[in-house]
Amino acid sequence: MDRTRTAPPIGAAGQFGIGEEAQVPVRHRDYAPSAPEAPAPARRGWLRAGVRLVRNAAIAVLLMTTVPIGVVALNGKNVWGWRTWGLNTNDRVARAELMRPLLLPKDPSITPLQAGLAFSALNPAKTSPGFPLLAEPVPPEVSWRGATLTEDMFPGSRPNLFSGPSSQAILEAVAKGFTPQEMTYLRSLAASPAWREFDMVARAPAVDFIGGKFKIPFAADASAERMPIPRYQATKEMAYASVSRAAYYMAVGQRDSAETALRAIVSFGFALLDNSTSMIDEMMGSVIIGIGRDALERYYLIAHAAQAARPDFILGAEPDQLLNFWVITRNPRGHAPNAVRQDQPSQPGFSRTTSLDETRARLLARLANPSVHRGERYEILQLLSVSSCTNPRELLLGPRSEVTDAINKARNNLARYPSEQALVDLVTKLPDYRAAPVELNPIGQFAVSSATVAGIVLRNPRLAACTRIGGFF
């Protein structure tokens, strides 16, 4: 008998004597094979990450947008306040207007472009990116720039405002007489070729300053902030020299020519004032008119002193009274207003305490008023072009409809020539904040960088421009 035992099956079933058939797997009734499932948790993770990224980006843009909104809300009003009538030209212009009856007759044969070219020859413009010159102007010859006054010449009217005799004393020196050397100098001054251009501007019915200076249209990179300013020193020099020109005519007995030379100063100033494209033009025009006004005051006193009905009154009178007296009572041509030196200020009444809505309404009213000088109206256009930088609403949504309507009307009503049309388009563009000469501090750099990113994302370039503008004014 074989006593060898068979090893039991491994596992609990074997231990309890269950047979090998118990090892066969049993098919369950609810068992059904299926395809392997996709990794759903991984897909949901990517979706959550994308949503989180978009949310964080939106929050970042929102935070960046609060920077320009905050700058404009805190400092937006100063964007207008610092520039509006900051040049304080209105009182000067009001005084200058009283001299309008002393203008020389206009010459209708002189075209606006011819007068503009003549002015550019007298006042060469600086070059600047985006503003190619129409032609390289050749300044006409002026004798006094190459002449030297010796110490014994014009002892009572030595140079003080330009290289020639003092415009404040040369007329009075006529009565004492001039030496042959002094007469040679004055004769050469009076015959300088530059008076052709000067008198052309003075007698022109209108002047195209922009068209006589730059090629139109402007280059693509032109901006109002980079537009070069004329060299007005040459303009003032011509005005001072014209007083010496009048002194020469007085010395040779040509009093009509002397008066004409002085009235040409006034007329040249009004050419700047009436055809101005900025408040600086207006200011310089009024300065030139003032030079002519003071010289005419002294001329009329000298020319008519012997005919004074009341010499005691004249000797004790103030300068303002003298001009009023001589122009009204002793000017044989009768050119003068009732009170030449009465001040009639025409301040438009803007101040930092005026509300934005009121300031906007006044700006729009003066822009639409044809009696307001052109330079001021161009200045208003440039102010309105940054109206979006004065309050958060316009910063985000754009200028108000009344502003855009006024700008569109100005393109037809204010601009007279293609050059001025191009200027309107230029000054009403959003300012190029990159042209600002001020270097940004770290806080400013951060603010402008944040606003730039937000502006790119939101397609709103006003954000960066207004942050830069509002942060410095």
Side-chain angles (χ1 to χ4, degrees):
M1 179 176 180
D2 187 4
R3 294 180 179 268
T4 304
R5 296 184 177 180
T6 303
I10 298 175
Q15 293 177 357
F16 286 95
I18 301 174
E20 292 183 4
E21 64 275 7
Q23 306 278 331
V24 179
V26 179
R27 185 184 300 272
H28 294 280
R29 295 178 182 177
D30 58 349
Y31 177 81
S34 60
E37 297 183 1
R43 187 169 60 245
R44 286 194 296 271
W46 280 105
L47 182 60
R48 290 194 196 97
V51 172
R52 191 182 307 113
L53 179 63
V54 172
R55 180 197 64 189
N56 293 344
I59 293 174
V61 171
L62 179 62
L63 291 175
M64 292 178 182
T65 306
T66 60
V67 173
I69 292 176
V71 170
V72 169
L74 291 174
N75 210 30
K77 187 176 181 179
N78 293 334
V79 172
W80 277 346
W82 80 277
R83 292 184 62 185
T84 307
W85 327 123
L87 297 176
N88 194 25
T89 61
N90 290 277
D91 284 336
R92 289 177 176 268
V93 170
R95 172 184 283 190
E97 277 294 339
L98 299 172
M99 294 295 291
R100 192 172 289 275
L102 291 171
L103 282 171
L104 292 173
K106 299 298 182 183
D107 183 353
S109 67
I110 302 173
T111 68
L113 184 57
Q114 287 175 330
L117 291 170
F119 182 83
S120 294
L122 295 173
N123 303 268
K126 298 178 181 179
T127 58
S128 179
F131 297 92
L133 298 179
L134 184 65
E136 190 64 32
V138 179
E141 180 185 349
V142 288
S143 64
W144 58 87
R145 291 176 186 165
T148 301
L149 297 181
T150 59
E151 292 295 330
D152 59 337
M153 294 178 64
F154 305 106
S157 52
R158 295 296 298 172
N160 60 347
L161 298 175
F162 84 116
S163 62
S166 171
S167 62
Q168 299 168 325
I170 189 63
L171 297 181
E172 289 75 6
V174 174
K176 299 178 182 179
F178 296 119
T179 66
Q181 186 180 10
E182 292 170 342
M183 283 299 295
T184 299
Y185 175 92
L186 291 176
R187 186 182 302 108
S188 175
L189 181 148
S192 292
W195 297 120
R196 176 182 177 276
E197 282 78 7
F198 186 84
D199 293 339
M200 181 180 295
V201 175
R203 291 183 178 273
V207 185
D208 183 1
F209 287 123
I210 303 299
K213 190 182 313 177
F214 303 113
K215 292 181 180 178
I216 303 299
F218 301 121
D221 58 342
S223 66
E225 293 73 29
R226 290 189 171 99
M227 192 167 192
I229 299 175
R231 297 169 181 170
Y232 287 110
Q233 183 59 37
T235 301
K236 294 173 66 176
E237 182 184 280
M238 294 294 297
Y240 294 138
S242 196
V243 182
S244 291
R245 179 169 63 149
Y248 169 75
Y249 290 130
M250 290 173 66
V252 298
Q254 300 177 12
R255 296 199 177 265
D256 285 350
S257 297
E259 183 184 11
T260 297
L262 297 178
R263 290 174 62 195
I265 303 173
V266 175
S267 300
F268 192 97
F270 271 107
L272 265 174
L273 183 61
D274 294 340
N275 299 276
S276 56
T277 56
S278 70
M279 294 284 276
I280 297 178
D281 291 345
E282 284 192 19
M283 182 180 67
M284 290 307 305
S286 64
V287 168
I288 301 301
I289 294 170
I291 295 172
R293 178 193 63 225
D294 294 340
L296 278 169
E297 175 183 350
R298 291 166 25 237
Y299 168 78
Y300 288 132
L301 174 60
I302 294 168
H304 301 287
Q307 305 175 22
R310 295 176 55 193
D312 55 333
F313 165 78
I314 297 170
L315 293 176
E318 295 294 327
D320 287 358
Q321 294 172 305
L322 283 174
L323 181 60
N324 188 49
F325 176 83
W326 285 116
V327 172
I328 293 174
T329 63
R330 295 303 179 192
N331 179 8
R333 298 184 183 280
H335 305 295
N338 292 330
V340 174
R341 288 287 292 271
Q342 282 185 352
D343 290 340
Q344 298 179 3
S346 60
Q347 289 284 2
F350 295 94
S351 70
R352 292 182 182 272
T353 60
T354 307
S355 69
L356 281 173
D357 289 339
E358 187 176 359
T359 300
R360 184 187 298 104
R362 292 183 183 182
L363 288 172
L364 292 172
R366 291 186 72 80
L367 176 62
N369 186 353
S371 66
V372 175
H373 284 289
R374 301 175 57 80
E376 182 178 326
R377 295 167 73 191
Y378 275 104
E379 194 86 9
I380 290 172
L381 273 177
Q382 196 160 2
L383 288 172
L384 291 175
S385 71
V386 294
S387 64
S388 298
C389 300
T390 62
N391 62 92
R393 176 191 177 278
E394 293 183 66
L395 174 69
L396 297 176
L397 303 179
R400 297 174 185 267
S401 59
E402 58 264 34
V403 172
T404 55
D405 290 344
I407 291 175
N408 290 332
K409 289 180 181 178
R411 285 190 174 93
N412 298 321
N413 300 334
L414 182 59
R416 301 169 298 177
Y417 320 114
S419 59
E420 293 183 348
Q421 175 71 65
L423 181 62
V424 170
D425 293 337
L426 186 70
V427 301
T428 53
K429 288 170 56 178
L430 191 66
D432 183 3
Y433 66 91
R434 296 166 298 179
V438 180
E439 289 294 331
L440 289 172
N441 56 36
I443 296 177
Q445 291 176 354
F446 171 77
V448 172
S449 298
S450 299
T452 301
V453 173
I456 293 173
V457 174
L458 300 177
R459 296 184 180 181
N460 184 350
R462 296 184 297 273
L463 298 180
C466 292
T467 300
R468 179 66 188 257
I469 295 170
F472 289 95
F473 303 135

